Amino acid sequence: MWLMAVAVSLMLCACHGRQEMNSQVIVQNDAFTVTGDSVIEDTVTAWVPRHGDCIETTMSLGRLDSLYDRYDTLNIKFVQGKKWQRRHQGPGASMPEYKSGQRLTDALYDMSMERIADGIDKNGNFIAEHNYSRLYCAIYLSLACLKPHQAMSTLKTMVDRDSIIMQREGQWPIVSDHIGWATAAWEVYKVTGDRQWLAYCYHAIKKTLGINAQVLLDHNTGLIHGAGFTSSRPLGARRMTWMGYNDLFSCMSLGNNILTAHAFAILGEMADEMEIEHSHDKDAQRLKDAINQYLWNEQRGFYSSFLYGMAVPKQSPLTDNTSQAMCVLWGIADDDRAENLISQTPVSDYGVNVTYPPSTAIEPYLANASWATTQALWNLAAAYTRNENALRRGLGALYRAQALYQSHGIHIDGIDTDDLGTAAANAAMVLRVLLGMNFKPEGIEFTPTVPEGMPGTKVLTGLNYRHAVLDVTVEGIGNDVAKITDNGVALESAFLKGDIEGHHNIVITMQRGQRGTNKVTLHHNEVFMPPTPSVEWTDDSGRIADFNPGLTYRLLEGDKTTIIHDSVFALPQHDGFVEYSVDIAGKYVNGYMSRPYMAFNLTPQIAFFPDSAGGQTTITVSVAEGGDYLVDLGYHPSGTLDVREVSVNTHPMGTLVMTNINNFTINGIAHSNMVLVKLLKGENAITFRQIRLPKAFTPCEPVHLRVIKR
C-alpha cells in the first residue's frame, strides 16, 4: 500500500506542476498531497483501506523526533495514543451518517462523530477540560447542530445569577473572553427555535454586556480591554515577559472586541425575535467602527491582534487568525477588506498559523488539536469569500493533520489535546462547507461550496432538526445552487423553513458560480517573530541588557523611529510627554516593543490616597491647564486583585486594575494601568469606586494617585 501511494504521488507530480491543482486531488503543494483516500508527504503516507474502518499511516514517533531535532532547544517530545478504529455500535452509531466519493473525508467524519459522542459526560454535558473559548467555538462550528440539547445544557452551567460566569476564576477582568458564550448560545437557538432558551440567553447576554461595558470599556478608543481570545495572554504575546497583569488588562485584543461586537449584534437579533425595542445594533456598529479604525493595518492588509503599551496604545506586530476569520464571517471586515484579508494574510503549506508571524517554527503544527478550530474558521471564511484556492489548501491542511497524527493520537507531550474541538472542526467542513448549511432563526439557508478536487455525490442522512429529520444530498461541484428539491418538489430558493415536520429529503445540484480571487500568500515557515529586547532606562539614556550586534534595534518615539547601533544609547531631548521603547527590526516583520519608558516635561502631580470609605474615594486635583491627562495608582501589591472605576467630575473615564502578579515595582510600589482622563483648568474631583468582583478577592493597598500631563 505504501509503495502504491508513493507511486501515486510520483505520477501526480509528473503530470502536474507541484503548485497546480487538479480534479484528482483535494490539495497538492510543495509539502504534501491529499487525495480522496490518502495523504502523501515525502516518505510518509496515511491512507484509508477500502473497508474504511480505520486510517493507516507510516508516521512514527522516531521519524517525528528526527524531523524536530533542529528544534531540540524547545524540548519537544512526541507521544502516541490509541489508534482510531470505527465502532459499529455505541453512541457514535446514532449520529448522522455521511458518505461521499472521498474515503478519507468519510473516515475522518466517522472518527469525529465518535469523538463527539464520547465527549459527553454522564450529566449530558460536553466535557470541557480545557479552554472554554474552544468549546464556544466548537459549539458554533457544529456541536449546536449535531448535539443541540447537550450544547444547551452545557451552556447553562456557565451562567450564574443571570450573567455569564467569568470562566477563568482569578483572572477576570484581565482575561475577558467569556462573552464568546453568546455566539454559541445563539447558534443553539437558531438550530432549535426554543423560545424559552431565547429569553434565557437574551437576559444573560444583556446583563453580561452591561457589566463588561462598565469595567472593560476604553472611553478613548471605544474598544474593550482585556487579554485575548483563547489565551491568558494576548495570542502570540508570550514573549513579552515585561507585561504584568495590569499591562495585560491595558491590551485591547481583536478577539475580545469581535466577540463583543458580535454579541451586541446577536442581542439585537434576539430582541427582534422577541419584538423588543432596542439600540443594540448601534452598539455593535460603534464597536465595529472602532475595530476597523484602531486594529486594521492598511499597510499590511490585515488586522493587528491587539493594541498594547502603557500610556500610548500601539498595534502589535502580529495578527490573530482565529479572530481574523471571525471578522470575515461576522461582517466586521466588509467591502473588499474580507477578500483581501484571506488572500493577503501569509499562510503555510501546512495550514494557517494561529498567529502570524509565529513565535517558533512549530506554531503551525496541527498535530496539536487546538489549532483545528482556527483552520476550520479560516476555511469557512475562504468559502465565504469564494477563494477556492485558499479553501482547498485549508481543507488539505486539516485533513492531513487528522490523518497523519490525530487518527493515531500523536501529539506533543504536555500539551492538552482537544479531541472535541477537532472533531467539531472537521464536522463543520461537511455541514457548513460541503453541504453549506447556514442556520437562521427562521430556517436553513443552503450555500454549499464543493471544490474541484472533491467531485461526486455527498449524502448526509439522519440529521435531527427541530421537529424534522433531514437527509441532504449535494451533487456536482461549484459554489452556486442550480437546483434544490425537498421530497422531490422544487424550491424557489435554497432555503428550508424551520416549521417543517417529519422526514425531508433535500437534493441540491451545484454549478460553477462567481469566484473571488484565488490568490494565496505563502510564507513557507521562514518568518518568525524577533526576540523582545530587555532595556534598562535612566532619565536620559537606555541600555539593552541582551544586546546582540547581529540584530537591528530601533528606538520608538511616537511615530518616529531611530536605529540604535550600540547597547547603550542616549534619549533625544523632548518638550512634552514622550513614551520611549525599543524593538528589533526583522527581515519581514518587526518584533514586540520593550517595556516602555515615560519621559515627562512636567513633573507628575502626586496625591496621597486616603483610606477608602465604603469602597469609594474622591481626591481633588488642581491643574493649571485643562486637557488630556494620564492617571494611575501606586500601590502595595499585597492583595490579589483590586478593580476601581475612575470618574472625573462625575463623568466615567475608565477602569484601574491592581494585581500582585508579575508587575514591575520600585521600592515595593507597583503601578496600576493608566487611564486617559480630561481635566478642566482648576479643581477636579477624581473619584475611585471599588467594583465588586464575581469572586472574593483581597484588595490591594493604594498609596498615591499620579497625574501626568500628556
Side-chain angles (χ1 to χ4, degrees), residues 330-342:
W330 300 338
I332 302 296
D334 49 17
D335 301 326
D336 295 333
R337 190 167 286 184
E339 184 174 316
N340 293 339
L341 184 155
I342 295 298

Side-chain angles (χ1 to χ4, degrees), residues 389-659:
N389 193 10
L391 175 60
R392 290 177 72 177
R393 287 181 177 276
L395 289 171
L398 194 63
Y399 296 152
R400 166 196 169 272
Q402 294 189 59
L404 288 179
Y405 302 104
Q406 288 143 7
S407 65
H408 286 64
I410 299 173
H411 61 281
I412 300 174
D413 189 24
I415 297 182
D416 292 330
T417 58
D418 181 17
D419 286 343
L420 187 62
T422 304
N426 184 58
M429 299 303 94
V430 169
L431 299 171
R432 299 174 70 103
V433 177
L434 301 176
L435 303 183
M437 300 179 73
N438 184 17
F439 293 95
K440 304 281 189 178
E442 61 276 14
I444 306 174
E445 179 185 28
F446 289 93
T447 58
T449 299
V450 183
E452 288 187 7
M454 303 181 71
T457 300
K458 293 157 183 63
V459 182
L460 182 80
T461 56
L463 176 67
N464 293 313
Y465 170 68
R466 299 189 183 181
H467 300 293
V469 178
L470 306 182
D471 295 343
V472 181
T473 300
V474 174
E475 300 174 336
I477 60 174
N479 55 15
D480 271 3
V481 174
K483 180 182 178 182
I484 180 170
T485 62
D486 176 13
N487 289 338
V489 179
L491 300 179
E492 292 183 3
S493 64
F495 190 86
L496 189 67
K497 292 183 179 180
D499 59 357
I500 58 173
E501 296 181 357
H503 182 269
H504 288 258
N505 183 26
I506 311 300
V507 179
I508 303 170
T509 303
M510 300 302 297
Q511 64 183 2
R512 299 180 191 275
Q514 180 183 358
R515 293 190 183 186
T517 177
N518 259 343
K519 178 184 175 183
V520 172
T521 302
L522 296 177
H523 68 78
H524 294 293
N525 291 332
E526 62 189 17
V527 183
F528 306 108
M529 183 67 72
T532 304
S534 176
V535 182
E536 300 168 356
W537 302 97
T538 66
D539 289 341
D540 58 4
S541 67
R543 187 182 78 86
I544 303 171
D546 49 359
F547 184 79
N548 182 338
L551 300 175
T552 302
Y553 294 85
R554 308 187 310 166
L555 177 66
L556 309 180
E557 178 188 353
D559 295 330
K560 181 181 178 182
T561 61
T562 306
I563 300 298
I564 300 172
H565 299 285
D566 203 348
S567 60
V568 178
F569 56 93
L571 295 179
Q573 292 190 353
H574 57 90
D575 296 327
F577 174 85
V578 179
E579 185 175 75
Y580 294 108
S581 59
V582 175
D583 72 1
I584 295 175
K587 181 179 179 181
Y588 298 100
V589 67
N590 301 322
Y592 294 115
M593 66 181 182
S594 66
R595 180 177 184 83
Y597 171 73
M598 292 177 293
F600 316 111
N601 184 38
L602 298 175
T603 303
Q605 187 175 159
I606 304 294
F608 172 73
F609 196 93
D611 293 335
S612 298
Q616 182 166 305
T617 301
T618 298
I619 299 176
T620 300
V621 173
S622 181
V623 295
E625 180 183 352
D628 290 341
Y629 287 78
L630 294 162
V631 300
D632 65 8
L633 290 176
Y635 65 98
H636 292 302
S638 53
T640 53
L641 177 61
D642 199 333
V643 180
R644 309 214 177 193
E645 181 185 44
V646 182
S647 299
V648 175
N649 303 323
T650 72
H651 299 291
M653 292 289 172
T655 304
L656 291 177
V657 170
M658 296 172 281
T659 72

